[in-house]
Amino acid sequence: MRTRPVALITGGTRGIGYGIALVLAREGWDLLLNGRRPPEEVTAALDGLAALGARVAYAEADIARAGHHDRLLERARMEFGRLDLLVNNAGIAPRVRADILEAGEDSFDEVLETNLKGPYFLTQRAARWMAAQREADRGCRRCIVFVTSISAEVASVNRGEYCVAKAGLSMAARLWAVRLAEHDIAVYEVRPGIVRTDMTAGVQERYDRLIEGGLLLQPRWGTPEDVGRAVAMLARGDLAYSTGAVIEVSGGMGVPRL
Protein backbone atom coordinates (compact mmCIF):
# COMPACT_ATOMS: atom_id res chain seq x y z
CA MET A 1 0.00 0.00 0.00
CA ARG A 2 1.45 3.36 -1.05
CA THR A 3 2.06 5.85 1.74
CA ARG A 4 0.40 9.15 0.86
CA PRO A 5 2.56 12.26 1.15
CA VAL A 6 1.61 14.94 3.66
CA ALA A 7 1.57 18.71 3.19
CA LEU A 8 1.26 21.43 5.82
CA ILE A 9 -0.28 24.54 4.27
CA THR A 10 -0.43 27.65 6.42
CA GLY A 11 -3.46 29.81 5.73
CA GLY A 12 -4.85 26.78 3.91
CA THR A 13 -8.61 27.15 4.35
CA ARG A 14 -9.20 30.21 2.15
CA GLY A 15 -7.85 32.12 -0.81
CA ILE A 16 -4.58 31.01 -2.35
CA GLY A 17 -3.96 28.49 0.41
CA TYR A 18 -7.21 26.69 -0.31
CA GLY A 19 -6.48 26.71 -4.04
CA ILE A 20 -3.20 24.97 -3.28
CA ALA A 21 -4.97 22.48 -1.02
CA LEU A 22 -7.52 21.64 -3.72
CA VAL A 23 -4.87 20.85 -6.32
CA LEU A 24 -2.79 18.77 -3.91
CA ALA A 25 -5.85 16.85 -2.71
CA ARG A 26 -6.65 15.91 -6.31
CA GLU A 27 -3.08 14.68 -6.73
CA GLY A 28 -3.18 12.29 -3.78
CA TRP A 29 -1.85 14.37 -0.89
CA ASP A 30 -3.05 14.31 2.70
CA LEU A 31 -3.27 17.73 4.28
CA LEU A 32 -2.76 19.56 7.54
CA LEU A 33 -4.24 23.02 7.15
CA ASN A 34 -3.61 25.91 9.46
CA GLY A 35 -5.52 29.11 10.13
CA ARG A 36 -6.60 31.50 12.86
CA ARG A 37 -10.33 30.73 12.61
CA PRO A 38 -11.93 28.28 15.05
CA PRO A 39 -12.50 24.76 13.66
CA GLU A 40 -16.28 25.14 13.36
CA GLU A 41 -15.79 27.95 10.82
CA VAL A 42 -13.71 25.88 8.41
CA THR A 43 -15.79 22.70 8.31
CA ALA A 44 -17.07 23.30 4.77
CA ALA A 45 -13.55 23.83 3.44
CA LEU A 46 -12.28 20.64 5.08
CA ASP A 47 -15.26 18.63 3.85
CA GLY A 48 -14.63 19.81 0.29
CA LEU A 49 -11.09 18.48 0.42
CA ALA A 50 -12.08 15.22 2.09
CA ALA A 51 -14.57 14.65 -0.74
CA LEU A 52 -11.59 14.55 -3.09
CA GLY A 53 -10.12 11.62 -1.16
CA ALA A 54 -7.69 13.49 1.06
CA ARG A 55 -7.26 12.86 4.74
CA VAL A 56 -7.51 16.35 6.19
CA ALA A 57 -6.74 17.81 9.60
CA TYR A 58 -6.96 21.38 10.84
CA ALA A 59 -4.86 23.18 13.43
CA GLU A 60 -5.91 26.57 14.74
CA ALA A 61 -2.69 28.52 15.18
CA ASP A 62 -1.24 31.98 14.62
CA ILE A 63 1.93 31.86 12.51
CA ALA A 64 3.04 35.15 14.04
CA ARG A 65 3.36 33.46 17.45
CA ALA A 66 6.46 31.32 17.79
CA GLY A 67 4.85 29.23 20.50
CA HIS A 68 2.28 27.99 17.99
CA HIS A 69 4.87 26.53 15.60
CA ASP A 70 5.62 23.50 17.73
CA ARG A 71 1.87 22.98 18.13
CA LEU A 72 1.51 22.76 14.36
CA LEU A 73 4.33 20.31 13.89
CA GLU A 74 3.23 18.16 16.80
CA ARG A 75 -0.20 17.94 15.19
CA ALA A 76 1.44 16.74 11.98
CA ARG A 77 3.33 14.08 13.93
CA MET A 78 0.23 12.87 15.75
CA GLU A 79 -2.09 12.86 12.73
CA PHE A 80 0.26 11.68 9.98
CA GLY A 81 3.67 10.82 11.42
CA ARG A 82 5.48 12.60 8.58
CA LEU A 83 5.83 15.88 6.69
CA ASP A 84 6.78 15.94 3.02
CA LEU A 85 5.86 19.49 2.03
CA LEU A 86 5.63 22.79 3.88
CA VAL A 87 3.81 25.58 2.08
CA ASN A 88 4.43 28.94 3.76
CA ASN A 89 1.34 30.67 2.46
CA ALA A 90 -0.31 32.48 5.38
CA GLY A 91 -0.17 36.24 5.12
CA ILE A 92 -2.09 39.38 5.93
CA ALA A 93 -2.50 42.77 4.32
CA PRO A 94 -2.23 46.01 6.29
CA ARG A 95 -5.45 46.82 8.13
CA VAL A 96 -5.35 50.24 6.48
CA ARG A 97 -3.52 51.17 3.29
CA ALA A 98 -1.51 54.21 4.31
CA ASP A 99 1.11 56.30 2.53
CA ILE A 100 4.58 55.45 3.83
CA LEU A 101 4.94 59.08 4.94
CA GLU A 102 2.09 58.47 7.37
CA ALA A 103 2.01 54.72 8.14
CA GLY A 104 2.67 53.65 11.72
CA GLU A 105 4.99 51.15 13.35
CA ASP A 106 2.18 49.01 14.74
CA SER A 107 1.02 48.05 11.26
CA PHE A 108 4.61 47.42 10.15
CA ASP A 109 5.24 45.11 13.10
CA GLU A 110 1.97 43.21 12.66
CA VAL A 111 2.49 42.55 8.96
CA LEU A 112 6.14 41.55 9.27
CA GLU A 113 5.51 39.24 12.21
CA THR A 114 2.92 37.28 10.24
CA ASN A 115 4.31 37.51 6.70
CA LEU A 116 8.05 37.22 7.38
CA LYS A 117 9.13 36.36 10.90
CA GLY A 118 6.48 33.67 11.34
CA PRO A 119 7.23 31.62 8.21
CA TYR A 120 10.98 32.10 8.68
CA PHE A 121 10.99 30.41 12.07
CA LEU A 122 8.30 27.85 11.24
CA THR A 123 10.60 26.77 8.42
CA GLN A 124 13.47 26.46 10.88
CA ARG A 125 11.50 24.01 13.00
CA ALA A 126 9.99 22.10 10.09
CA ALA A 127 13.36 21.83 8.33
CA ARG A 128 14.95 20.13 11.32
CA TRP A 129 12.27 17.45 11.24
CA MET A 130 12.44 17.10 7.47
CA ALA A 131 16.21 16.70 7.58
CA ALA A 132 15.86 13.93 10.15
CA GLN A 133 13.25 12.21 7.97
CA ARG A 134 15.56 12.41 4.95
CA GLU A 135 18.33 10.70 6.91
CA ALA A 136 15.95 7.91 7.90
CA ASP A 137 14.39 7.50 4.44
CA ARG A 138 16.44 8.74 1.48
CA GLY A 139 13.78 7.59 -0.95
CA CYS A 140 11.22 10.21 0.05
CA ARG A 141 11.27 13.73 -1.37
CA ARG A 142 10.95 16.72 0.97
CA CYS A 143 10.11 20.22 -0.28
CA ILE A 144 9.43 23.71 1.11
CA VAL A 145 7.57 26.40 -0.83
CA PHE A 146 7.37 30.08 0.10
CA VAL A 147 4.38 31.89 -1.39
CA THR A 148 5.47 35.50 -1.76
CA SER A 149 3.99 38.11 -4.09
CA ILE A 150 4.80 40.30 -7.07
CA SER A 151 5.04 42.93 -4.32
CA ALA A 152 8.46 41.50 -3.49
CA GLU A 153 9.64 43.58 -6.46
CA VAL A 154 6.80 45.97 -7.37
CA ALA A 155 6.64 48.97 -5.04
CA SER A 156 3.26 50.07 -3.63
CA VAL A 157 3.82 53.12 -1.44
CA ASN A 158 0.43 52.79 0.26
CA ARG A 159 1.30 49.38 1.69
CA GLY A 160 5.02 49.52 2.23
CA GLU A 161 5.02 47.05 5.10
CA TYR A 162 3.52 44.38 2.84
CA CYS A 163 6.14 44.96 0.13
CA VAL A 164 9.00 44.88 2.65
CA ALA A 165 7.67 41.66 4.18
CA LYS A 166 7.35 39.90 0.82
CA ALA A 167 10.78 41.07 -0.31
CA GLY A 168 12.21 39.69 2.92
CA LEU A 169 10.36 36.42 2.44
CA SER A 170 11.85 36.13 -1.03
CA MET A 171 15.32 36.32 0.49
CA ALA A 172 14.28 33.84 3.18
CA ALA A 173 13.41 31.34 0.45
CA ARG A 174 16.85 31.82 -1.07
CA LEU A 175 18.58 31.44 2.29
CA TRP A 176 16.74 28.22 3.11
CA ALA A 177 17.47 26.84 -0.37
CA VAL A 178 21.18 27.31 0.29
CA ARG A 179 21.09 25.96 3.83
CA LEU A 180 18.97 22.88 3.12
CA ALA A 181 20.71 21.78 -0.08
CA GLU A 182 23.04 19.51 1.88
CA HIS A 183 19.96 17.71 3.23
CA ASP A 184 18.49 17.34 -0.27
CA ILE A 185 15.43 19.40 0.67
CA ALA A 186 14.30 21.51 -2.27
CA VAL A 187 13.14 25.07 -1.55
CA TYR A 188 11.24 27.27 -3.97
CA GLU A 189 9.54 30.64 -4.14
CA VAL A 190 6.16 30.97 -5.87
CA ARG A 191 5.38 34.61 -6.61
CA PRO A 192 1.69 35.31 -7.41
CA GLY A 193 0.48 38.47 -9.11
CA ILE A 194 -3.10 39.73 -9.07
CA VAL A 195 -5.15 36.83 -7.71
CA ARG A 196 -8.88 36.97 -6.99
CA THR A 197 -9.29 36.29 -3.25
CA ASP A 198 -10.97 37.87 -0.26
CA MET A 199 -7.75 39.86 0.32
CA THR A 200 -8.05 41.60 -3.06
CA ALA A 201 -11.84 42.02 -3.01
CA GLY A 202 -11.59 45.56 -1.65
CA VAL A 203 -9.44 46.74 -4.57
CA GLN A 204 -11.18 44.82 -7.35
CA GLU A 205 -12.23 47.91 -9.32
CA ARG A 206 -8.70 49.33 -9.27
CA TYR A 207 -7.15 46.09 -10.49
CA ASP A 208 -9.89 45.67 -13.11
CA ARG A 209 -8.87 49.05 -14.55
CA LEU A 210 -5.18 48.14 -14.50
CA ILE A 211 -5.82 44.84 -16.26
CA GLU A 212 -8.01 46.51 -18.87
CA GLY A 213 -5.24 49.08 -19.35
CA GLY A 214 -2.70 46.45 -20.36
CA LEU A 215 -0.84 45.76 -17.11
CA LEU A 216 -0.71 42.01 -17.83
CA LEU A 217 0.32 40.03 -20.88
CA GLN A 218 -2.50 37.62 -20.06
CA PRO A 219 -5.39 40.02 -19.36
CA ARG A 220 -7.28 38.25 -16.61
CA TRP A 221 -7.28 37.82 -12.86
CA GLY A 222 -5.27 34.91 -11.53
CA THR A 223 -7.04 32.24 -9.52
CA PRO A 224 -5.95 30.43 -6.37
CA GLU A 225 -5.77 27.21 -8.37
CA ASP A 226 -3.33 28.84 -10.83
CA VAL A 227 -0.99 29.14 -7.86
CA GLY A 228 -1.94 25.66 -6.66
CA ARG A 229 -0.85 24.08 -9.94
CA ALA A 230 2.56 25.74 -9.65
CA VAL A 231 3.01 24.43 -6.11
CA ALA A 232 1.91 20.93 -7.14
CA MET A 233 4.44 20.93 -9.97
CA LEU A 234 7.22 21.70 -7.50
CA ALA A 235 5.94 19.20 -4.94
CA ARG A 236 5.92 16.42 -7.56
CA GLY A 237 9.56 17.12 -8.34
CA ASP A 238 8.96 18.32 -11.91
CA LEU A 239 11.73 20.89 -11.34
CA ALA A 240 13.94 18.63 -9.28
CA TYR A 241 17.17 20.26 -10.49
CA SER A 242 16.04 23.83 -9.73
CA THR A 243 16.11 24.39 -5.98
CA GLY A 244 16.05 28.09 -5.18
CA ALA A 245 14.00 28.91 -8.29
CA VAL A 246 11.41 31.69 -8.34
CA ILE A 247 8.19 30.73 -10.15
CA GLU A 248 6.15 33.79 -11.08
CA VAL A 249 2.41 33.24 -11.47
CA SER A 250 1.38 36.69 -12.60
CA GLY A 251 0.08 36.62 -16.16
CA GLY A 252 3.32 38.14 -17.39
CA MET A 253 3.16 41.15 -15.09
CA GLY A 254 6.87 40.97 -14.37
CA VAL A 255 8.01 40.99 -18.00
CA PRO A 256 9.76 44.32 -18.81
CA ARG A 257 8.25 46.01 -21.87
CA LEU A 258 8.75 49.13 -23.97
Side-chain angles (χ1 to χ4, degrees):
M1 181 177 177
R2 184 177 70 90
T3 301
R4 291 168 61 94
V6 175
L8 165 56
I9 307 171
T10 65
T13 63
R14 67 201 320 169
I16 288 174
Y18 193 64
I20 296 169
L22 282 170
V23 177
L24 290 178
R26 292 180 190 130
E27 295 201 3
W29 288 73
D30 289 335
L31 305 167
L32 173 59
L33 306 184
N34 149 255
R36 296 189 298 186
R37 291 184 289 171
E40 60 269 20
E41 293 185 15
V42 301
T43 301
L46 303 185
D47 288 347
L49 296 167
L52 296 172
R55 180 182 171 193
V56 187
Y58 176 73
E60 181 183 354
D62 185 351
I63 294 302
R65 299 175 64 179
H68 288 196
H69 296 170
D70 287 335
R71 177 194 303 179
L72 268 178
L73 296 176
E74 184 57 31
R75 184 67 184 277
R77 288 188 181 93
M78 289 191 305
E79 290 285 343
F80 303 104
R82 61 186 293 148
L83 181 63
D84 302 272
L85 170 65
L86 169 64
V87 182
N88 286 302
N89 166 76
I92 60 172
R95 295 178 187 269
V96 177
R97 290 185 174 223
D99 188 292
I100 58 175
L101 284 171
E102 307 295 336
E105 293 184 29
D106 288 346
S107 178
F108 188 94
D109 291 342
E110 181 181 39
V111 171
L112 264 74
E113 284 176 359
T114 298
N115 294 9
L116 177 56
K117 182 179 178 180
Y120 185 94
F121 284 103
L122 175 61
T123 298
Q124 182 188 71
R125 288 170 169 79
R128 292 170 181 164
W129 184 22
M130 286 180 161
Q133 289 179 101
R134 282 289 295 161
E135 288 301 314
D137 183 1
R138 302 296 294 180
C140 290
R141 173 180 172 79
R142 276 11 186 237
C143 179
I144 298 173
V145 175
F146 288 82
V147 179
T148 63
S149 168
I150 199 73
S151 294
E153 287 193 343
V154 178
S156 299
V157 296
N158 63 346
R159 53 181 188 138
E161 58 271 78
Y162 186 82
C163 295
V164 169
K166 291 300 186 178
L169 197 63
S170 177
M171 176 52 74
R174 183 175 300 181
L175 288 165
W176 284 113
V178 173
R179 181 61 184 86
L180 296 178
E182 68 181 77
H183 299 288
D184 198 23
I185 298 173
V187 182
Y188 304 98
E189 176 187 350
V190 172
R191 187 177 290 177
I194 300 172
V195 178
R196 195 182 297 278
T197 67
D198 54 354
M199 185 183 289
T200 54
V203 289
Q204 179 175 334
E205 290 185 8
R206 178 173 182 268
Y207 284 138
D208 282 343
R209 290 194 300 270
L210 289 170
I211 293 170
E212 290 169 4
L215 178 66
L216 309 179
L217 296 180
Q218 295 173 278
R220 69 167 176 86
W221 282 75
T223 69
E225 290 186 55
D226 286 327
V227 183
R229 284 187 284 272
V231 173
M233 171 188 68
L234 299 171
R236 286 194 304 267
D238 290 358
L239 295 183
Y241 194 51
S242 302
T243 191
V246 179
I247 309 300
E248 192 168 298
V249 186
S250 68
M253 183 178 175
V255 178
R257 289 173 278 168
L258 289 174

